[in-house]
Amino acid sequence: MEWSDLRIFLAIAREGTLGAAARKIGQTQPTMGRRLRALELALGQTLFQRTADGFVLTDEGTAALAHAERIEEQALALQRHATGAEMQLEGNLRLSSSDWFGTVMLSPVIAAFGKRHPKVIVELLTDARLYSLPRREADLVFRIKPFDEPEVISRKLLHIPYALYGKKGSKPPRAGDGSGVRVVTMNAEFSDMPDAVWLKRTLPKAEIASRSNNRQAQAELCAGGGGLAVLPRPLGDRDRRLVALDVGVTPPGRDTYVGYHRDLRRLARLRALLDLVIERLADYETLRCPSGKTR
């Protein structure tokens, strides 16, 4: 096996096509294809599935990717040591989270990380699907359910409090009733979410005005007078069009967990980003609202 072929393998895995990978590292497309075939022959494995949309890692390719990235990290470390250069991280990281958490909680951290490590490209995915860490669809995953995969290293990141919100000027409804109240809640697929169950139990006579599985959409609907909504406090408290309503009982909060594949535990850029996330978010409960009151 030619070690230089690992660089070609990494470029194709990251860019998704031979053409894009060739432009990335300054090789011709035929050369890239030839070196990839040589690597697959040397390993005795098919590393990519060729599709109309590009190159998709096979299971064997996914396993090889973790090893190749560790080799790359060590090679870069050796280069930095040999030249006496200050450590500078580079490469790609893919993060997955819910819509509002990615926008409100992670984006400021990613921006700060980018200033420290400008050569690391962070890709933030916030769609509804659950990205698989074992299949390396993402490097870091943030979610509200604990991880149970044996190959995943995870930890509880923080607890997110929730509150009932209304358009500014709204009056708190009476708990246990809800007559004459319109609410925005989760769609049917997520109707068993703790906050949706709480809302139905607390305001049983309320009329459902609209449903959405997108927290930011719920906040916009609420701010526009479309109905009361239960929202994460980091999202609701930052919107000056909204007011938290005290009905005597508090919606249940949610724990947030972060996980990554155990093969990446020594990947320096992942550790650096995770350390910054923990530093900025783990003590969220001690932060203050824009009004100056503690959450």
Side-chain angles (χ1 to χ4, degrees), residues 33-161:
R34 184 170 62 253
R35 296 315 311 162
L36 174 60
R37 288 191 294 273
L39 178 62
E40 290 180 321
L41 183 62
L43 294 176
Q45 303 283 355
T46 299
L47 301 176
F48 293 99
Q49 179 182 355
R50 281 71 166 172
T51 72
D53 296 325
F55 283 53
V56 178
L57 285 167
T58 61
D59 289 343
E60 293 80 10
T62 298
L65 179 62
H67 295 288
E69 286 185 324
R70 287 203 300 275
I71 293 171
E72 177 191 48
E73 194 67 34
Q74 291 301 313
L76 291 172
L78 176 61
Q79 185 180 44
R80 288 190 295 266
H81 176 75
T83 60
E86 182 181 354
M87 180 177 181
Q88 187 172 40
L89 302 179
E90 57 183 290
N92 299 329
L93 284 174
R94 173 177 280 197
L95 279 58
S96 170
S97 76
S98 63
D99 47 26
W100 80 267
F101 191 87
T103 301
V104 176
M105 306 297 281
L106 293 180
S107 292
V109 182
I110 294 171
F113 181 79
K115 293 178 182 178
R116 296 185 186 183
H117 306 288
K119 291 192 175 182
V120 178
I121 301 172
V122 180
E123 182 180 1
L124 178 60
L125 308 170
T126 61
D127 52 39
R129 67 171 286 203
L130 288 177
Y131 285 82
S132 170
L133 287 169
R135 292 198 300 271
R136 294 295 307 279
E137 293 177 338
D139 300 309
L140 270 177
V141 170
F142 300 83
R143 71 188 197 192
I144 57 177
K145 292 183 178 181
F147 296 83
D148 55 10
E149 299 92 335
E151 58 269 72
V152 172
I153 298 174
S154 66
R155 58 164 286 170
K156 176 183 170 183
L157 183 61
L158 75 166
H159 180 79
I160 300 288

Side-chain angles (χ1 to χ4, degrees), residues 234-291:
L235 174 61
D237 289 352
R238 74 198 294 262
D239 194 329
R240 299 186 181 278
R241 300 171 299 170
L242 300 176
V243 60
L245 304 174
D246 184 3
V247 295
V249 287
T250 304
R254 299 302 299 265
D255 292 332
T256 295
Y257 301 86
V258 59
Y260 57 95
H261 197 283
R262 64 187 179 195
D263 285 346
L264 300 184
R265 61 187 179 275
R266 293 187 179 89
L267 190 63
R269 59 182 178 273
L270 183 143
R271 291 301 319 172
L273 177 57
L274 182 56
D275 288 346
L276 185 60
V277 168
I278 293 172
E279 174 190 327
R280 297 291 181 93
L281 301 187
D283 293 331
Y284 167 76
E285 289 86 349
T286 66
L287 300 179
R288 292 180 174 271
C289 302
S291 63

